[in-house]
Amino acid sequence: MVVLLVKNSDKFFTAELNGVKRSDAEFFFLQRQNLALRDSVELRLTLRLKNTYSKKILSLNAKTLTAMPLQLPVFDLDDAVESIKNAGCVILAGPELLRYRGRPVQRYLREQLLELAKPGDIEMYYEEESLFLFSGTSARIRVKKKAREWLRKLWADPEFLSENAGTLRLLAQLPVHLVISATPDKFLSANLAAYQIPHHTGFFVGGDKEVRKVPAPSMHKPVVYNLCGSVDDHESIILDYEDLYKYMKSVLNAGRLPKGLTDALSDADKFIFLGFELDKWHTQMLIQLLMEILENREKFSAGPSYRSPDFKRFFEGHFKMAPLDQEQDAFLGELLAAFQSEHPQLVRRTDREYDSRLAFVRQYVEENDFVNALHELEAAADSTDDKNAVSLLKSRCHEFAERQDSMHPDTRNAERNKLTMDMLGLATRVLRGDETWIFLTTEGTEVHRGITES
């Protein structure tokens, strides 16, 4: 059965369309949106049912139409606290979550790419949808590499860290077991790494690439999953319609999301959306793709903006997502305070030095991704001694990669641990030995520069 939403003036009414399951109807459309309530009314519907179109003519008696207060979930703070404690609450982070110079990072990135791109690589930019038109495949690859490098450099920008310090600290302290990011940057996972909070990461890969496994998340070792690509694989970054089409095609295929992720999503009972422009069609498509999992689960959004009251009503009615009527930091602060009141021992520590430059290296080493860890060190090494040390460590890592399959497990683990310790030690020397090492104070959000003791 599908519940039909009918608008008359400023009121909404419901009717039931029997014989059609909600899960079978991808969408429904009323040819006549404004209806005069007479004794009877004829509605012409176009339903898309399992990729086939069928038209239905439904006659209803006006007396059977009843005013419908939308049945949206009501956010209960105490219930949310227990949901977090029991690994039942998932945070979904959108493109509007983090900002740079007053603008969403993803929008600012695209403005920068217009300046950084090689002349002729970008033929057009559609600002409304944040998508480019490239002159060719080579141009697309070059711009994606520019995007990757710009996002990596932004993490070491004190202005960016200062502007987002409050949000990042709150997200680090709140022990949510699973965070889904709808952007390709790794800021949320690097934030946990900077606070030395153990965690796992993963990102969606499309096409014929092997699905990357994701461990089961827990409150003590959460997972940050990039659902829309990652800077670790520049090909996965979505910048044009071709990227978007390939992404949608891949994500719709069964089995493309790792089992550890789908199991965690299926077990969750509460989903909180932060930093999404809900009136963007690709945001709605992303939510729709997850509806098989999110159906009948509580869904909330902090600080949403809608272009019109009609759209707000339609969105909330279709997705059953309730607005929290709070800005994201105010909401997170209130939720954290409530959680800390009930379970102070479970709040994650953020009283360690916040080392942003070491964050990416720590994160990659945690994932046994020595290739990207060495990439960060190579980019940061300035002196001849540091460059030689990185080169030597790179040779050792290459030798280990070639020999590890033939090594005894105990020997392999010992060698890997030695490489890990040497890499972190070298990273400390290379990244903390200059005047641009950045950290956040534990008392507030002020960003400092300078050399400190290790």
Side-chain angles (χ1 to χ4, degrees):
M1 179 201 64
V2 167
V3 175
L4 184 65
L5 189 63
V6 183
K7 180 184 177 185
N8 177 66
S9 184
D10 62 343
K11 295 182 179 179
F12 287 78
F13 301 85
T14 55
E16 294 179 355
L17 181 58
N18 295 317
V20 178
K21 296 180 180 179
R22 181 178 177 85
S23 59
D24 291 338
E26 295 184 15
F27 64 83
F28 52 87
F29 171 70
L30 286 179
Q31 288 185 333
R32 297 178 60 191
Q33 294 182 0
N34 293 288
L35 305 168
L37 292 185
R38 301 183 295 273
D39 288 340
S40 63
V41 62
E42 186 178 86
L43 306 179
R44 294 181 181 274
L45 291 88
T46 301
L47 289 172
R48 183 177 180 183
L49 305 175
K50 293 183 176 178
N51 298 320
T52 62
Y53 288 89
S54 61
K55 289 188 177 181
K56 302 282 186 181
I57 297 179
L58 180 65
S59 295
L60 297 174
N61 188 304
K63 294 180 181 179
T64 66
L65 295 176
T66 56
M68 183 190 79
L70 288 177
Q71 299 299 314
L72 298 178
V74 177
F75 187 79
D76 184 288
L77 201 56
D78 294 334
D79 182 57
V81 166
E82 293 309 304
S83 181
I84 293 173
K85 178 178 179 292
N86 297 317
C89 182
V90 175
I91 285 181
L92 295 99
E96 306 281 311
L97 178 67
L98 301 178
R99 309 182 81 81
Y100 184 56
R101 297 178 179 174
R103 297 176 59 75
V105 167
Q106 295 303 313
R107 287 192 205 172
Y108 199 96
L109 164 64
R110 282 152 176 78
E111 294 170 1
Q112 290 300 298
L113 291 178
L114 289 171
E115 299 179 8
L116 296 172
K118 182 180 177 181
D121 278 358
I122 297 176
E123 293 187 350
M124 194 178 300
Y125 174 52
Y126 185 25
E127 186 176 1
E128 180 69 18
E129 300 297 343
S130 299
L131 295 172
F132 293 99
L133 176 63
F134 298 112
S135 59
T137 301
S138 296
R140 179 188 295 109
I141 293 173
R142 282 193 293 269
V143 176
K144 286 188 175 188
K145 289 181 177 179
K146 293 284 187 183
R148 177 186 63 188
E149 294 308 313
W150 188 86
L151 287 170
R152 281 178 165 172
K153 289 179 181 178
L154 185 63
W155 182 249
D157 189 317
E159 185 178 350
F160 167 76
L161 290 174
S162 179
E163 191 168 355
N164 296 283
T167 302
L168 292 170
R169 185 183 299 278
L170 289 168
L171 288 171
Q173 291 177 301
L174 198 62
V176 173
H177 73 303
L178 176 60
V179 176
I180 306 291
S181 174
T183 60
D185 59 72
K186 300 191 72 173
F187 297 146
L188 299 184
S189 53
N191 180 51
L192 295 182
Y195 278 119
Q196 302 176 49
I197 296 172
H199 65 288
H200 296 291
T201 65
F203 65 92
F204 178 81
V205 290
D208 298 326
K209 295 181 179 180
E210 182 181 358
V211 177
R212 295 168 178 253
K213 294 181 180 180
V214 172
S218 68
M219 185 169 57
H220 299 292
K221 198 161 189 179
V223 166
V224 179
Y225 189 83
N226 289 72
L227 189 58
C228 299
S230 168
V231 292
D232 285 347
D233 179 1
H234 67 268
E235 293 181 7
S236 69
I237 301 175
I238 300 171
L239 291 180
D240 67 357
Y241 275 111
E242 183 175 337
D243 295 332
L244 187 60
Y245 169 75
K246 289 179 179 178
Y247 170 78
M248 292 296 184
K249 184 179 178 181
S250 295
V251 80
L252 282 169
N253 290 337
R256 291 307 302 174
L257 293 176
K259 187 176 184 301
L261 178 68
T262 56
D263 287 348
L265 290 171
S266 298
D267 292 340
D269 54 45
K270 206 175 303 293
F271 295 84
I272 298 172
F273 289 73
L274 303 173
F276 283 90
E277 287 186 299
L278 300 177
D279 54 3
K280 293 287 188 182
W281 73 268
H282 40 74
T283 298
Q284 298 159 39
M285 180 63 72
L286 184 64
I287 299 172
Q288 187 65 44
L289 291 173
L290 296 172
M291 280 302 287
E292 185 176 342
I293 297 173
L294 302 183
E295 190 88 44
N296 300 320
R297 313 294 174 85
E298 291 188 347
K299 299 176 286 292
F300 304 94
S301 60
S305 58
Y306 300 97
R307 295 181 181 179
S308 71
D310 282 355
F311 174 79
K312 177 178 184 293
R313 187 84 176 193
F314 175 80
F315 180 91
E316 292 172 353
H318 180 70
F319 292 109
K320 299 297 185 290
M321 185 182 296
L324 293 169
D325 297 325
Q326 284 181 292
E327 292 301 321
Q328 59 192 29
D329 283 7
F331 164 72
L332 289 171
E334 183 178 350
L335 182 57
L336 176 62
F339 190 94
Q340 194 161 21
S341 175
E342 293 295 323
H343 309 288
Q345 74 283 3
L346 298 180
V347 174
R348 296 188 190 127
R349 290 181 57 188
T350 56
D351 56 353
R352 303 179 182 93
E353 288 179 328
Y354 187 100
D355 194 332
S356 64
R357 292 292 302 274
L358 276 174
F360 276 127
V361 176
R362 279 203 190 105
Q363 181 181 348
Y364 290 132
V365 170
E366 174 77 15
E367 300 163 1
N368 289 321
D369 184 354
F370 292 162
V371 173
N372 273 307
L374 286 166
H375 175 84
E376 294 295 325
L377 291 178
E378 285 179 315
D382 291 326
S383 70
T384 301
D385 286 346
D386 286 346
K387 290 179 180 179
N388 289 339
V390 172
S391 180
L392 179 61
L393 186 58
K394 188 174 182 179
S395 297
R396 288 175 54 199
C397 288
H398 181 71
E399 182 183 351
F400 172 75
E402 289 185 334
R403 295 174 48 240
Q404 62 175 333
D405 291 339
S406 61
M407 298 169 68
H408 186 278
D410 292 341
T411 305
R412 181 170 57 245
N413 290 335
E415 286 286 335
R416 182 184 290 113
N417 290 338
K418 182 67 167 63
L419 282 172
T420 296
M421 295 303 295
D422 289 347
M423 190 169 296
L424 289 176
L426 180 58
T428 301
R429 190 181 92 187
V430 171
L431 297 174
R432 295 178 67 170
D434 57 49
E435 295 184 352
T436 59
W437 180 59
I438 302 163
F439 66 94
L440 298 182
T441 63
T442 57
E443 295 81 9
T445 60
E446 184 180 358
V447 176
H448 294 262
R449 285 172 171 265
I451 301 174
T452 65
E453 296 181 358
S454 301

